[in-house]
């Protein structure tokens, strides 16, 4: 009895200390029971309250309001009765059991237990008492158990969330005082006792950004934008108040409780009856946007056509377009432009808009490269248009100018571009183009600097000649030939500097050899003049390329560059005069030493021009190495072609009949690919064409034929070994390539892989004595190398832009500030940079469109956090 009394006292004391946690736990269980029993009831209640606060009862007929109200009332009563029947008040024992279950080892139940075995044993009883003391201490640390208010297992369709959402919207955008308008619908209600009332407001169009005007706050006269919408609500007995207005469409029932109409003209709005008012409303017209060309159009040396313009609108410009039309009346209709042009649609370009900020008035520049368009460098008419949010369009006066595009300084390249223009102007010019190309390639000595360009031109000319003889060119053929002419012109134009450098180096070598071998004065004078011409050509090309780089944003100014070029050219001229003077005096040793100094000076100029006085990056070194490999491959291909030519034309004779035979054989194969055309052209041309660049008429005599026959196998083996060495060098360079990420880097690696496979095929063909196949594969290798170089340049530029964005330091930003995605420095104290700091030498508008598309893509990804998607949507709404 004593033990039981002791156990009871310990349990009672523990419960006394746990009175607060026990009461809170029981209260939580009551909340659980209420939530599970009455969740349908309170869902109906808050749904009804939310609808009333939103004023839904004022938007529909009275009968519908009372019908829906009766349904909701029945539902609420039914769910209240159902909840009362299911509700069970939790007992104290249930709360005690839940509190005990939250503790480790159920200490409260242990305090209520009695010792089952070992009673009377002192040791056993002592151990039991110690265990109960530990349980009492553990029970004393009990905390109230949180209730589980989730009812998702009962509300599987989430109906309570729908009701809660309606209520929250009503709290944010509704009014609790609107609930009282229900009483106005009942006969004898409070509203009728108090008399009629009204409320009204006018909403301007959303694009204006103007606030809503409440009529109760307005004086007798006010102004609103055209297209605004008026809404009026009349409360009280029907007919006690009515609305008369002449600013919009006539109402069907002036006394209707709810009325909405659009404001279409100036006039008055009047509410007649007790407490009514009158307002005079005037509308402000939404003007169409204005747009105009803001200055002279211009173009960079690379062909980017720039049109400065300015636009304005009272509420902001939403978009715009530039329509470029050909001005036939101002064209000099001669030569290929004499016949009428083929129908061609106008050029339509979207106008760039400010990335951020106010669009009510701004100035921008439309930048587009239209160098490949048939209308390049021809008179055009530009018509600008701007559109506002109301779809009103403003047109600028037509602006007459010339569609400036890339200029080609090389005469041969300029000729090819002109022929391309004539072909795209009207395909009926094909016979004339063939005649011009035949005249250009008739005596190629001194005109073509490489066999490859000459060969590609002859292939294109013969294909056009054959197709045009038997029918009209198709659209695909015109497009293909125009692209081939463009690519060939670029190859000739862009290869000028390297070609000029090589010619100058060869002229220096020949002059040096002539001085060592004791050549005649006439021979030395001829070689000296050749060196002068080659050096002047190189300096012209170097000056042109430096000008292009200066316009593209190099650090050296045009004035500094011009002074540097003039100084270097004068120094070179004095050195060559000194060399010639020493040779005329017979002081050959001193002349040879001066020539060596000239070579060193030109080499230093090459390094300065290529590196800009700075250490080259690994990417630049890789590109320079690949460019050298490309030049070596082109030289090897030229040598293979000369061997093929000598094999089929050992005497160097030229006969037009044989030439036509070779042409027919080439075109008869029906090859359309560049590689196939090149191979067929090489075979046909080897029979009918005996003169090539760098080969004077009369070369290739029988003696040369005999020598070729004796050592042909050794020659092919030597070419194959050189091809293998080039392939090994390419593999070495591929292994040392810097890391290049992105699509451009992957495309560069793929192109170099293709180049390696093509070189392997050329090597195998050379070892098999198949020169035509080897030249074909070498052509593929060179094209792949050029593509690889282009892609490497794009990858390096992208990597530089990415690093500049990460490090916060762009070109010219020596302070190390962070830059935004459009290249502007963040400024001091976190402020944004200005418009003058936008990206230079890059299409900023296309970059802006890319950023906007990326924002839209990310905002539509459902797996992103909600807070991030909300932020992205706010950015899109702002910009």
């Amino acid at each position: 009895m004593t033990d039981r009394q002791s156990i009871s006292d310990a349990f009672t004391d523990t419960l006394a200390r746990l009175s607060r946690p026990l009461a809170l736990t029981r209260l939580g269980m009551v909340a659980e029971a209420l939530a599970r029993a009455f969740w349908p009831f309170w869902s109906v209640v808050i749904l009804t309250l939310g609808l009333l606060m939103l004023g839904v009862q004022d938007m529909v007929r009275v009968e519908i309001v009372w019908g829906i109200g009766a349904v909701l009332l029945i539902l609420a009563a039914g769910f209240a009765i159902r909840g009362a029947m299911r509700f069970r008040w939790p007992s104290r024992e249930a709360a005690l059991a839940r509190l005990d279950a939250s503790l480790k080892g159920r200490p409260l139940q242990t305090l209520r237990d009695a010792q089952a075995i070992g009673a009377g044993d002192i040791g056993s009883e002592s151990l039991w008492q110690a265990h109960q003391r530990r349980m009492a201490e553990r029970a004393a640390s009990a905390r109230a158990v949180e209730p589980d208010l989730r009812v998702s297992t009962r509300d599987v369709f989430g109906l309570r969330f729908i009701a809660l959402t309606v209520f929250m919207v009503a709290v944010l955008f509704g009014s609790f005082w609107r609930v009282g308008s229900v009483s106005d619908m009942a006969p004898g209600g409070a509203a009728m006792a108090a008399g009629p009332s009204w409320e009204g407001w006018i909403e301007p169009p959303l694009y204006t950004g103007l606030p809503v005007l409440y009529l109760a706050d307005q004086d007798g006269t006010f102004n609103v934008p055209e297209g605004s919408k008026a809404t009026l609500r009349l409360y009280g007995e029907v007919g006690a108040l009515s609305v008369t207005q002449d600013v919009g469409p006539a109402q069907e029932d002036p006394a209707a409780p709810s009325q909405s109409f659009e404001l279409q003209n100036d006039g008055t709005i009047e509410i007649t009856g007790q407490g009514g008012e009158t307002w005079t409303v005037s509308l402000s017209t939404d003007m169409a946007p204005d747009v105009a060309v803001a200055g002279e159009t211009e173009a960079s040396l690379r062909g980017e056509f720039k049109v400065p313009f300015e636009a304005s609108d009272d509420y902001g410009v939403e978009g715009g377009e530039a329509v470029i039309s050909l001005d036939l009346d101002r064209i000099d209709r001669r030569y290929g432009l004499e016949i009428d042009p083929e129908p061609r649609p106008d050029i339509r370009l979207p106008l760039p808009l400010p990335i951020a900020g106010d669009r009510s008035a701004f100035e921008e520049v439309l930048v587009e490269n239209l160098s490949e368009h048939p209308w390049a460098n021809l008179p055009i008419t530009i018509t600008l248009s701007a559109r506002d949010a109301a779809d009103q369009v403003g047109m600028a006066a037509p602006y007459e100018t010339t569609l400036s595009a890339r200029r080609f300084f090389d005469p041969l390249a300029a000729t090819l571009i002109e022929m391309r223009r004539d072909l795209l102007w009207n395909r009926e010019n094909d016979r004339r183009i063939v005649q011009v190309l035949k005249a250009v390639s008739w005596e190629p000595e001194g005109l073509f600097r490489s066999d490859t360009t000459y060969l590609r031109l002859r292939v294109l000319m013969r294909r056009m000649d054959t197709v045009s003889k038997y029918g009209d060119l198709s659209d695909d053929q015109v497009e293909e030939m125009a692209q081939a002419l463009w690519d060939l012109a670029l190859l000739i134009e862009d290869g000028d500097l390297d070609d000029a450098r090589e010619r100058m180096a060869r002229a220096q070598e020949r002059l040096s050899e002539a001085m060592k071998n004791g050549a005649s004065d006439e021979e030395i004078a001829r070689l000296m003049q050749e060196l002068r011409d080659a050096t002047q050509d190189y300096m012209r090309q170097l000056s042109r390329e430096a000008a292009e780089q200066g316009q593209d944003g190099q650090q050296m100014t045009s004035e500094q560059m011009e002074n540097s070029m003039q100084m270097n050219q004068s120094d070179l001229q004095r050195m060559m005069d000194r060399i010639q003077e020493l040779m005329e005096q017979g002081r050959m040793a001193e002349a040879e030493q001066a020539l060596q100094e000239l070579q060193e000076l030109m080499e230093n100029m090459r390094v300065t021009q290529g590196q800009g006085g700075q250490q080259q990056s690994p990417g630049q070194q890789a590109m320079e190495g690949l460019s050298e490999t490309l030049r070596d491959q082109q030289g090897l291909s030229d040598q293979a072609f000369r061997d093929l030519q000598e094999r089929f034309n050992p005497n160097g004779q030229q006969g037009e009949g044989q030439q036509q035979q070779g042409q027919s054989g080439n075109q008869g194969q029906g090859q359309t690919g560049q590689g196939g055309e090149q191979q067929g052209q090489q075979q046909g041309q080897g029979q009918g064409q005996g003169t090539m660049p760098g080969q004077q008429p009369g070369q290739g005599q029988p003696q040369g034929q005999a020598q070729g026959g004796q050592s042909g196998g050794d020659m092919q083996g030597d070419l194959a070994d050189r091809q293998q060495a080039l392939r090994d060098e390419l593999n070495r360079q591929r292994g040392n390539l810097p890391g290049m990420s992105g699509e451009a880097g992957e495309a560069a690696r793929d192109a170099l892989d293709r180049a390696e496979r093509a070189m392997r095929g050329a090597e195998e063909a050379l070892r098999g004595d198949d020169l035509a196949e080897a030249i074909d594969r070498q052509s593929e290798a060179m094209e792949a190398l050029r593509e690889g170089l282009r892609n490497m340049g794009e990858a390096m530029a992208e990597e530089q832009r990415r690093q500049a964005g990460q490090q916060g330091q762009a070109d010219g930003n020596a302070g190390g500030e962070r830059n935004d995605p459009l290249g502007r420095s963040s400024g001091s104290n976190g402020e944004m940079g200005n418009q003058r700091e936008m990206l230079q030498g890059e299409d900023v508008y296309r970059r802006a469109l890319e950023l906007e598309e990326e924002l839209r893509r990310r905002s539509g990804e459902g797996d992103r956090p909600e807070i991030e998607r909300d932020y992205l949507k706010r950015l899109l709404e702002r910009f």
Side-chain angles (χ1 to χ4, degrees):
M1 186 68 180
T2 304
D3 293 339
R4 291 184 177 274
Q5 183 65 36
S6 177
I7 293 172
S8 177
D9 293 343
F11 181 70
T12 302
D13 294 342
T14 302
L15 288 183
R17 291 195 299 268
L18 296 179
S19 59
R20 178 180 175 80
L22 183 60
L24 293 176
T25 301
R26 190 176 184 185
L27 184 61
M29 295 176 67
V30 173
E32 286 183 10
L34 289 173
R36 295 172 181 176
F38 291 98
W39 73 265
F41 171 73
W42 62 256
S43 297
V44 173
V45 171
I46 65 173
L47 176 63
T48 304
L49 184 60
L51 293 176
L52 293 176
M53 292 174 64
L54 289 173
V56 176
Q57 69 277 10
D58 299 330
M59 304 178 186
V60 296
R61 299 177 58 183
V62 177
E63 294 81 0
I64 297 177
V65 173
W66 290 114
I68 296 176
V71 172
L72 293 176
L73 182 61
I74 293 173
L75 287 176
F79 287 135
I81 296 173
R82 173 179 175 272
M85 295 176 62
R86 293 190 174 188
F87 178 75
R88 295 291 183 271
W89 191 270
S91 64
R92 187 173 184 273
E93 287 295 327
L96 188 61
R98 175 172 290 192
L99 183 62
D100 193 19
S102 67
L103 300 173
K104 184 178 181 181
R106 290 185 175 270
L108 295 177
Q109 182 63 39
T110 302
L111 293 175
R112 301 172 69 177
D113 292 341
Q115 186 175 0
I117 59 175
D121 181 65
I122 297 177
S124 178
E125 289 180 355
S126 299
L127 180 61
W128 176 252
Q129 292 172 4
H131 175 61
Q132 284 193 319
R133 285 194 298 270
R134 285 195 299 270
M135 292 298 102
E137 293 175 357
R138 183 174 298 174
S141 64
R143 297 290 183 270
V145 181
E146 295 182 359
D148 184 7
L149 302 179
R150 294 175 297 177
V151 293
S152 55
T153 57
R154 293 169 173 79
D155 182 16
V156 294
F157 297 105
L159 300 178
R160 67 192 187 283
F161 293 121
I162 298 176
L164 185 61
T165 301
V166 173
F167 180 74
M168 294 305 298
V169 171
V171 170
L172 293 174
F173 303 103
S175 174
F176 185 76
W177 303 110
R178 291 184 178 178
V179 178
S181 65
V182 177
S183 60
D184 299 340
M185 301 181 181
M192 295 184 63
S197 62
W198 57 269
E199 65 175 341
W201 59 88
I202 295 179
E203 302 175 65
L206 291 177
Y207 65 83
T208 62
L210 298 177
V212 176
L213 300 179
Y214 288 91
L215 294 178
D217 300 333
Q218 304 303 316
D219 297 331
T221 303
F222 57 89
N223 180 275
V224 293
E226 185 179 14
S228 299
K229 180 180 179 182
T231 302
L232 297 171
R233 301 282 174 79
L234 307 180
Y235 306 113
E237 182 180 0
V238 177
L241 297 175
S242 62
V243 178
T244 58
Q245 53 86 20
D246 56 0
V247 294
Q251 313 103 292
E252 296 180 359
D253 183 7
S258 179
Q259 302 182 35
S260 296
F261 49 88
E262 183 179 350
L263 306 183
Q264 298 177 344
N265 49 264
D266 299 343
T268 60
I269 301 176
E270 181 179 4
I271 298 178
T272 59
Q274 182 180 354
E277 291 188 27
T278 302
W279 300 273
T280 301
V281 182
S282 60
L283 302 183
S284 58
T285 304
D286 186 0
M287 305 300 294
D290 294 328
V291 62
V293 177
E296 296 293 332
T297 61
E298 57 182 11
S300 66
L301 293 178
R302 290 298 182 184
E304 290 181 340
F305 182 54
K306 301 179 181 180
V307 183
F309 69 94
E310 55 186 9
S312 61
D313 184 68
D314 42 9
Y315 296 113
V317 178
E318 291 294 319
E321 186 181 49
V323 179
I324 301 177
S325 305
L326 184 65
D327 193 347
L328 283 173
D329 295 337
R330 295 192 296 123
I331 296 178
D332 187 5
R333 302 293 295 275
R334 295 187 300 169
Y335 309 120
L337 305 180
E338 184 177 359
I339 60 179
D340 293 333
E342 296 181 0
R344 193 174 296 275
D346 293 339
I347 304 173
R348 296 182 177 272
L349 303 174
L351 293 181
L353 301 178
I355 305 303
D358 187 17
R359 294 184 178 179
S360 59
F362 61 90
E363 293 184 2
E364 284 290 347
V365 179
L366 172 63
V367 180
E368 192 70 27
N369 195 329
L370 300 173
S371 298
E372 297 188 47
H373 197 275
W375 298 346
N377 296 312
L378 290 179
I380 58 169
T381 300
I382 303 176
T383 304
L384 303 181
S385 62
R387 173 180 50 82
D388 62 9
D391 286 334
Q392 298 182 109
V393 179
M395 305 290 294
Y399 180 80
E400 296 182 351
T401 184
T402 300
L403 184 57
S404 302
R406 172 167 179 165
R407 301 295 300 273
F408 288 83
F409 297 92
D410 186 279
L412 179 58
T415 301
L416 296 180
I417 291 300
E418 182 178 350
M419 294 302 100
R420 177 183 180 273
R421 181 204 65 187
D422 294 348
L423 178 62
L424 294 175
W425 178 269
N426 195 315
R427 67 195 66 193
E428 294 180 4
N429 283 321
D430 50 3
R431 298 307 306 166
R432 176 182 178 275
I433 295 173
V434 171
Q435 293 177 355
V436 173
L437 295 182
K438 284 183 177 180
V440 169
S441 60
W442 177 250
E443 293 184 355
E445 297 81 12
L447 181 61
F448 293 89
R449 299 187 177 94
S450 70
D451 296 345
T452 302
T453 55
Y454 173 78
L455 179 62
R456 290 177 61 174
L457 177 61
R458 296 290 294 185
V459 170
L460 179 62
M461 179 199 69
R462 293 193 176 187
R463 182 160 182 259
M464 185 182 297
D465 189 13
T466 301
V467 175
S468 61
K469 281 182 179 179
Y470 300 103
D472 296 333
L473 298 175
S474 64
D475 293 341
D476 292 340
Q477 289 173 333
V478 170
E479 182 178 356
E480 180 184 353
M481 293 179 181
Q483 187 63 43
L485 285 169
W486 176 265
D487 294 340
L488 185 56
L490 285 182
L491 178 62
I492 296 173
E493 179 75 12
D494 294 338
D496 281 346
L497 184 60
D498 291 337
D499 294 339
R501 184 185 296 118
E502 292 177 3
R503 290 196 305 275
M504 183 180 64
R506 288 196 299 268
Q508 291 173 351
E509 292 176 0
R510 285 195 293 269
L511 180 58
S512 178
E513 290 295 328
M515 288 190 294
K516 292 179 181 179
N517 297 331
S520 62
D521 295 340
E522 293 78 7
E523 179 68 13
I524 290 180
R526 184 183 64 81
L527 293 175
M528 189 62 199
Q529 186 60 42
E530 181 180 339
L531 176 60
R532 288 179 182 273
D533 296 339
T535 303
Q536 291 176 0
D537 187 21
Y538 173 69
M539 294 302 295
R540 283 195 301 269
Q541 300 300 334
L542 187 62
S543 177
R544 180 178 64 84
E545 183 171 287
E548 293 177 0
Q549 293 176 354
Q551 188 167 4
D552 291 339
Q554 297 295 323
Q555 297 180 355
M556 182 181 294
T557 65
S558 58
E559 182 178 358
Q560 293 172 343
M561 189 165 45
E562 182 180 358
N563 293 336
S564 175
M565 288 299 172
Q566 290 177 354
M567 179 189 66
N568 291 337
Q569 191 167 1
S570 61
D571 291 343
L572 292 175
Q573 186 65 34
R574 285 195 299 270
M575 291 188 69
M576 286 188 289
D577 292 340
R578 177 60 176 169
I579 293 173
Q580 186 170 5
E581 181 181 354
L582 292 173
M583 289 188 299
E584 292 175 353
Q585 297 175 1
R587 300 157 62 181
M588 293 300 176
E590 297 179 20
E592 187 174 353
Q593 182 179 359
L595 181 60
Q596 182 65 29
E597 294 176 358
L598 174 63
Q599 293 174 347
E600 293 176 358
L601 177 61
M602 299 306 298
E603 186 65 25
N604 293 334
M605 181 180 296
R606 174 183 176 182
V607 172
T608 302
Q609 188 272 337
Q611 299 182 358
Q614 299 179 1
Q615 183 67 28
Q616 285 185 322
S617 65
Q620 292 173 334
Q621 294 175 359
M623 292 190 65
E624 184 174 346
L626 289 175
S627 299
E628 188 67 27
T629 302
L630 174 60
R631 287 192 292 270
D632 293 342
Q633 180 64 79
Q634 183 165 346
L636 184 59
S637 178
D638 293 343
Q639 181 62 46
F641 176 73
R642 283 192 291 269
D643 293 345
L644 179 66
Q645 181 189 22
E646 292 175 359
R647 177 177 300 181
F648 286 95
N649 187 20
N651 295 325
Q653 296 176 352
Q654 181 175 353
E656 186 62 29
Q658 294 178 353
Q659 186 178 16
Q660 295 297 333
Q661 180 182 359
Q663 175 185 347
S664 302
N666 176 33
Q667 300 296 341
Q669 296 177 4
Q671 297 170 326
T672 59
Q674 182 177 352
E677 292 172 1
Q678 190 173 9
Q679 179 180 351
Q681 174 65 19
Q682 290 158 357
Q683 294 173 353
Q685 195 169 342
Q687 297 174 4
Q689 182 71 29
T691 305
M692 288 296 298
Q695 176 182 352
Q696 301 297 329
Q699 291 180 349
Q701 296 300 327
Q703 180 181 358
Q705 180 184 3
Q707 293 176 353
Q710 294 173 358
S711 59
D714 295 339
M715 185 178 299
Q716 305 314 318
D718 178 63
L719 292 178
D721 293 339
R722 290 170 58 188
Q723 186 66 69
Q724 180 183 1
L726 276 178
R727 183 168 61 85
D728 294 340
E729 176 63 19
L730 177 61
N731 288 329
R732 185 191 66 80
Q733 293 171 353
R734 288 167 59 197
N736 296 331
L737 285 179
M740 296 180 296
S741 58
E743 296 182 0
E746 187 65 27
R749 284 187 286 269
D750 292 342
L752 296 182
D753 290 342
R754 294 197 307 271
E756 193 276 336
R757 290 193 296 269
M759 286 183 177
R760 184 186 300 273
E763 178 187 344
E764 294 174 354
L766 288 172
R767 297 195 187 280
D769 199 20
D770 189 351
L771 287 176
E773 177 66 18
I775 294 174
D776 234 1
R777 300 289 77 80
Q778 290 170 343
S779 177
E780 294 177 6
M782 288 186 289
E783 290 298 328
L785 284 173
R786 293 190 186 96
E787 182 179 353
L789 285 170
R790 287 194 298 269
N791 292 324
M792 279 187 62
E794 295 176 3
M796 291 172 58
E798 182 64 28
E799 184 70 16
Q800 291 175 356
R801 289 192 295 268
R802 184 183 65 81
Q803 292 178 357
Q806 291 178 351
Q807 299 173 2
Q809 184 171 359
D811 292 342
N813 185 7
E817 298 90 349
R818 298 286 295 178
N819 290 344
D820 67 6
L822 296 178
R824 300 173 298 182
S825 64
S826 59
S828 60
N829 300 325
E831 299 177 354
M832 294 300 296
N834 53 42
Q835 294 290 340
R836 295 189 301 273
E837 296 175 351
M838 299 293 282
L839 293 175
Q840 301 295 326
E842 184 176 344
D843 192 347
V844 63
Y845 310 108
R846 187 172 291 109
R847 176 61 174 160
L849 292 176
E850 292 174 356
L851 288 174
E852 183 179 0
E853 289 299 324
E854 181 65 17
L855 288 176
R856 294 188 186 278
R857 183 186 67 80
R858 295 191 181 186
S859 64
E861 295 178 350
D863 56 347
R864 291 185 176 273
E866 185 68 23
I867 186 173
E868 180 181 351
R869 288 192 285 127
D870 290 343
Y871 172 70
L872 294 173
K873 291 177 181 178
R874 290 196 301 271
L875 284 179
L876 289 172
E877 291 174 358
R878 178 180 179 184
F879 297 118

